[in-house]
């Protein structure tokens, strides 16, 4: 299928749509319950009594009843030396929870601005032991759970100790908390679950996700949004036209082979097919630029964008054409 592109100047007019006033949107005040602080404060000499005493406040996490096996598992966790050290680092990094609360509240207010019908459950912070399986933010009908040990800036080399690659641990900064929260909100409330059949559809889908995240915190730096270093951001900005020309020129846009997906969407330290200076997930970057161009060139709201499933139409109407 042929694709026509109209030449257009690079426009940031999409930013005007994102700079909305949410100050009077709920929640104006936000209470975050610190499960990590309550859990690690329990006297281990009488751990069961202490755990039972906090269970009503944290029933969304602990359930209505605690079996003996559950109590033993949790006690083993809080007395583990590595978990204790992680909790100490969390206390050092987030001794003032107001910083976290303000970040979370800002994201929630933006969500409610666009999706006023969404009612969010209570919010909790906790220490997961750097749980790769569940990731930094989990959302269930009962709770939003933020694992603060994913935002320690690799203090004490904790991420090295659990085998986390440096290109991943570089993103484990406090600034990434809003990004991770917004991404979880996207998958919980806005993801369209369309099976992406080719590279173009995957790029558009990922671009929509990143644009949603950006809408939840419009001041977010692109390096945080995309998880790139400053040098990697320089590379993609300087080579955006070349990347797009390669995708189109090599007939990758409508391809669906594993190799092309791997080159454009797999995570890693770099994309060898382009350069050792090129970051991974170049398809994510291009997808975001297409969506930004679409929102700059069309009178569409964020919600309309999220509900649009004709990805070919989005590409056509984006008039995306990066400078070479």
């Amino acid at each position: 299928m042929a694709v026509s592109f109209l030449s257009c100047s690079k426009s940031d007019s999409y930013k005007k749509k994102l700079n909305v006033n949410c100050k009077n949107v709920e929640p104006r005040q936000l209470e975050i319950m610190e499960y990590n602080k309550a859990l690690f404060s329990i006297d281990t000499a009488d751990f069961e009594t202490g755990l039972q005493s906090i269970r009503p406040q944290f029933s969304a996490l602990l359930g209505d009843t605690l079996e003996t096996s559950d109590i033993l598992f949790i006690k083993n966790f809080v007395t583990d030396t590595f978990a204790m050290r992680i909790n100490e680092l969390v206390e050092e990094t987030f001794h003032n929870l107001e910083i976290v609360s303000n970040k979370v509240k800002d994201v929630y207010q933006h969500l409610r601005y666009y999706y006023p019908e969404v009612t969010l459950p209570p919010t909790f912070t906790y220490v997961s032991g750097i749980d790769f399986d569940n990731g930094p933010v989990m959302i269930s009908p009962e709770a939003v759970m933020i694992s603060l040990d994913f935002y320690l800036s690799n203090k004490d080399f904790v991420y090295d100790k659990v085998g986390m690659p440096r290109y991943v641990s570089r993103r484990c900064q406090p600034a990434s908390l809003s990004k991770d929260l917004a991404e979880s909100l996207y998958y919980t409330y806005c993801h369209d679950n369309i099976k992406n059949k080719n590279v173009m559809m995957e790029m558009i889908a990922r671009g929509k996700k990143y644009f949603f995240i950006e809408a939840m915190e419009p001041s977010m730096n692109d390096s945080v949004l995309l998880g790139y270093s400053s040098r990697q951001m320089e590379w993609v900005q300087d080579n955006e036209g070349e990347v797009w020309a390669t995708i189109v020129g090599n007939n990758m846009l409508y391809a669906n082979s594993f190799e092309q997906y791997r080159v454009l969407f797999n995570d890693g330290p770099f994309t060898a097919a382009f350069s050792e200076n090129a970051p991974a997930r170049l398809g994510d970057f291009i997808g975001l630029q297409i969506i930004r161009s679409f929102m700059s060139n069309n009178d569409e709201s964020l919600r309309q964008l999220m509900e649009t499933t004709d990805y070919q139409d989005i590409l056509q109407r984006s008039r995306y054409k990066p400078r070479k």
Side-chain angles (χ1 to χ4, degrees), residues 203-204 244 286-294 315 318 320:
M203 285 197 302
I204 298 295
W244 179 242
I286 294 296
L288 175 60
Q289 307 318 309
I290 291 171
I291 295 300
R292 284 174 168 175
S293 184
F294 175 83
L315 179 61
S318 73
Y320 174 66

Side-chain angles (χ1 to χ4, degrees), residues 167-168 171 202 206 210 226 228 257-272 278-284:
Y167 69 86
V168 176
R171 307 166 197 159
E202 186 68 25
R206 294 192 181 208
Y210 283 110
L226 289 157
Y228 290 167
S257 74
F258 170 79
E259 178 60 23
Q260 285 146 337
Y261 271 71
R262 183 190 65 79
V263 169
L264 291 172
F265 303 112
N266 273 18
D267 205 0
F270 53 84
T271 301
R281 298 174 289 105
L282 289 172
D284 294 29

Side-chain angles (χ1 to χ4, degrees), residues 19-70:
N19 290 328
V20 296
N21 186 354
C22 295
K23 289 183 179 179
N24 294 322
V25 178
E26 294 296 335
R28 297 188 192 184
Q29 300 292 328
L30 178 66
E31 179 187 8
I32 297 181
M33 287 170 278
E34 298 176 88
Y35 177 60
N36 49 297
K37 185 166 288 188
L39 186 63
F40 281 88
S41 297
I42 295 174
D43 183 356
T44 54
D46 191 9
F47 187 78
E48 180 174 356
T49 300
L51 188 61
Q52 292 287 7
S53 71
I54 69 169
R55 189 198 55 73
Q57 183 183 1
F58 298 101
S59 60
L61 309 184
L62 293 171
D64 295 327
T65 59
L66 285 166
E67 302 292 334
T68 301
S69 58
D70 297 326

Side-chain angles (χ1 to χ4, degrees), residues 35-305:
Y35 177 60
N36 49 297
K37 185 166 288 188
L39 186 63
F40 281 88
S41 297
I42 295 174
D43 183 356
T44 54
D46 191 9
F47 187 78
E48 180 174 356
T49 300
L51 188 61
Q52 292 287 7
S53 71
I54 69 169
R55 189 198 55 73
Q57 183 183 1
F58 298 101
S59 60
L61 309 184
L62 293 171
D64 295 327
T65 59
L66 285 166
E67 302 292 334
T68 301
S69 58
D70 297 326
I71 296 169
L72 181 60
F73 177 84
I74 297 171
K75 182 179 180 180
N76 287 340
F77 175 73
V78 299
T79 56
D80 177 81
T81 54
F82 185 62
M84 292 169 67
R85 179 55 183 152
I86 291 173
N87 184 62
E88 289 174 357
L89 293 172
V90 165
E91 290 288 335
E92 292 172 12
T93 306
F94 299 103
H95 58 275
N96 181 3
L97 196 69
E98 186 178 355
I99 297 171
V100 175
S101 180
N102 287 338
K103 281 177 171 285
V104 173
K105 183 181 73 170
D106 188 51
V107 171
Y108 285 177
Q109 287 179 313
H110 280 82
L111 179 70
R112 287 293 297 274
Y113 177 88
Y114 294 107
Y115 294 86
E117 75 279 9
V118 171
T119 300
L120 291 166
T123 303
F124 301 85
T125 58
Y126 75 113
V127 167
S128 70
I130 314 175
D131 183 351
F132 287 97
D133 292 335
N134 290 315
V137 179
M138 293 190 295
I139 300 176
S140 71
E142 294 76 32
V144 176
M145 295 164 281
I146 301 172
S147 177
L148 293 179
D149 47 333
F150 275 89
Y151 306 104
L152 299 175
S153 306
N154 207 20
K155 291 180 180 178
D156 211 13
F157 303 103
V158 289
Y159 303 128
D160 295 346
K161 292 173 182 176
V162 297
M164 186 184 292
R166 282 287 177 92
Y167 69 86
V168 176
S169 65
R170 187 183 64 242
R171 307 166 197 159
C172 295
Q173 309 284 340
S176 296
L177 193 155
S178 297
K179 185 258 182 182
D180 293 337
L181 175 60
E183 185 171 17
S184 290
L185 291 170
Y186 168 80
Y187 281 119
T188 302
Y189 299 109
C190 303
H191 189 220
D192 54 29
N193 290 314
I194 291 177
K195 182 175 174 58
N196 300 322
K197 299 178 180 179
N198 55 45
V199 164
M200 180 275 292
M201 293 182 71
E202 186 68 25
M203 285 197 302
I204 298 295
R206 294 192 181 208
K208 286 174 65 176
K209 179 190 74 172
Y210 283 110
F211 194 83
F212 175 90
I213 294 168
E214 186 173 17
M216 297 302 103
E217 190 187 300
S219 63
M220 188 179 298
N221 188 287
D222 275 6
S223 63
V224 174
L225 177 62
L226 289 157
Y228 290 167
S229 68
S230 56
R231 290 185 62 184
Q232 289 175 330
M233 281 305 311
E234 288 178 13
W235 191 94
V236 292
Q237 289 164 351
D238 291 342
N239 295 276
E240 180 183 347
E242 179 186 342
V243 173
W244 179 242
T246 299
I247 292 171
V248 175
N250 289 354
N251 298 315
M252 298 172 72
L253 197 59
Y254 298 102
N256 58 6
S257 74
F258 170 79
E259 178 60 23
Q260 285 146 337
Y261 271 71
R262 183 190 65 79
V263 169
L264 291 172
F265 303 112
N266 273 18
D267 205 0
F270 53 84
T271 301
F274 284 89
S275 165
E276 289 193 359
N277 295 318
R281 298 174 289 105
L282 289 172
D284 294 29
F285 171 77
I286 294 296
L288 175 60
Q289 307 318 309
I290 291 171
I291 295 300
R292 284 174 168 175
S293 184
F294 175 83
M295 294 301 284
S296 292
N297 289 302
N298 294 277
D299 185 19
E300 301 270 347
S301 67
L302 175 72
R303 189 151 188 162
Q304 287 173 315
L305 171 67

